[in-house]
Amino acid sequence: MVNIGGLIKTSLTDYPDKISCIIFTNACNFSCPYCYNPSLVRGSVKNIKEHEIFDFLEERKNLLDGVVITGGEPTIQIGIIEFTKKIKALGYSVKLDTNGSRPEILKELIEKNLIDYVAMDVKAPAEKYSLVSGESLKTINESISLIINSKVEHEFRSTVLPALHNGSDILAMAEMIKGGKILFLQQFYSGETLDPDFKNKPAFGIEELMQIAGECSQYIPTKIRGYDTEIKMGQDAKQGK
Ligand code: SF4
């Protein structure tokens, strides 16, 4: 049973070239200090029943192209494979957003053709990974490798801010995903954060970030993505990635 904390019924921006809805799973196994969605990460958002989600998806079959499954971290949910299978059976394309911490789940989803697009976060360079996420680098590298070597459409993305990353760090992160399709560097914006000390941390200036993106492109095509949308949901959750 997947623990669902939020649903955005229509999005034109979260799944490339598709009109999608977004399903937010409750809880995350990382605690990125800059995370915009503390309540979802802690799993304290009110649960939406699975049958309500499937009733909605059944109704919208002719209006939506895709479903984005995000979090929190979807791959820690028991039942995520079956859940995704049921969505695919309704004819939807599925995009998965993940922090890459469960390569075995990712592998199964890819091998069973249950996802059509995957967006994986890259949090930090190798030597700093545990500071941001507490996760072993081995699992992260396994997920990176799985994604790059699969035929699934994909992107990597990194929320970057001077309090955690310098230019060399970001370059090293790009090198970690060399051979991938694209990296989006996501600008950090002040607001509610998992670690309250990060609430008003400064962001990179756009010119500096553009310069860093240019350097990253030696390893992987790199673009900058702004983060200026606070997503309102009935369950009072915001997008956490
Ligand atoms: S940013 Fe993503 S991976 Fe990090 S704590 Fe928030 S939901 Fe989890």
Side-chain angles (χ1 to χ4, degrees):
M1 185 69 75
V2 172
N3 185 335
I4 301 155
L7 170 70
I8 292 180
K9 294 184 174 178
T10 309
S11 168
L12 302 178
T13 56
D14 286 76
Y15 193 147
D17 305 322
K18 297 208 186 298
I19 302 172
S20 65
C21 67
I22 310 173
I23 295 169
F24 293 80
T25 59
N26 252 322
C28 187
N29 53 345
F30 281 14
S31 30
C32 312
Y34 53 79
C35 179
Y36 297 112
N37 204 342
S39 51
L40 203 62
V41 169
R42 294 186 192 110
S44 55
V45 179
K46 195 176 159 208
N47 184 257
I48 302 176
K49 302 257 183 310
E50 256 191 41
H51 74 82
E52 294 175 54
I53 296 289
F54 283 106
D55 289 350
F56 166 80
L57 292 177
E58 187 73 50
E59 273 169 28
R60 297 289 173 104
K61 259 196 311 200
N62 298 322
L63 299 171
L64 298 172
D65 310 311
V67 175
V68 178
I69 307 176
T70 190
E73 174 50 39
T75 61
I76 63 171
Q77 295 287 332
I78 294 167
I80 192 67
I81 304 281
E82 278 310 307
F83 182 74
T84 312
K85 201 181 281 179
K86 279 168 74 179
I87 296 173
K88 286 292 287 178
L90 290 172
Y92 287 100
S93 293
V94 174
K95 171 175 177 268
L96 175 77
D97 292 348
T98 180
N99 61 22
S101 60
R102 293 287 182 272
E104 67 286 0
I105 299 292
L106 193 55
K107 185 167 189 270
E108 192 170 348
L109 287 166
I110 291 172
E111 285 180 355
K112 292 184 171 169
N113 293 317
L114 296 178
I115 50 175
D116 304 278
Y117 193 108
V118 58
M120 179 179 156
D121 299 343
V122 179
K123 305 288 187 187
E127 68 280 7
K128 285 191 181 174
Y129 226 95
S130 60
L131 296 178
V132 178
S133 69
E135 186 58 42
S136 110
L137 196 63
K138 184 171 172 285
T139 56
I140 298 299
N141 282 334
E142 264 181 65
S143 291
I144 291 171
S145 175
L146 264 171
I147 291 169
I148 292 177
N149 294 318
S150 77
K151 291 191 170 62
V152 176
E153 282 292 304
H154 67 268
E155 69 181 50
F156 294 95
R157 59 208 190 158
S158 301
T159 299
V160 289
L161 65 165
L164 288 173
H165 311 96
N166 58 36
S168 306
D169 289 336
I170 300 170
L171 208 54
M173 289 152 68
E175 193 173 5
M176 282 168 67
I177 49 172
K178 189 176 174 182
K181 190 173 175 199
I182 190 160
L183 166 65
F184 288 100
L185 297 180
Q186 301 183 152
Q187 185 67 286
F188 173 75
Y189 284 86
S190 303
E192 192 186 7
T193 49
L194 189 59
D195 180 341
D197 287 346
F198 275 70
K199 189 174 175 179
N200 293 311
K201 293 281 187 206
F204 281 103
I206 188 67
E207 284 182 8
E208 187 180 4
L209 204 52
M210 281 172 71
Q211 189 187 333
I212 295 168
E215 291 173 23
C216 289
S217 294
Q218 67 185 286
Y219 299 116
I220 177 170
T222 305
K223 290 187 178 175
I224 295 170
R225 177 183 281 158
Y227 194 101
D228 55 3
T229 311
E230 187 177 82
I231 299 166
K232 300 282 185 202
M233 289 187 289
Q235 308 301 319
D236 193 28
K238 290 172 291 184
Q239 186 166 14
K241 299 281 178 189

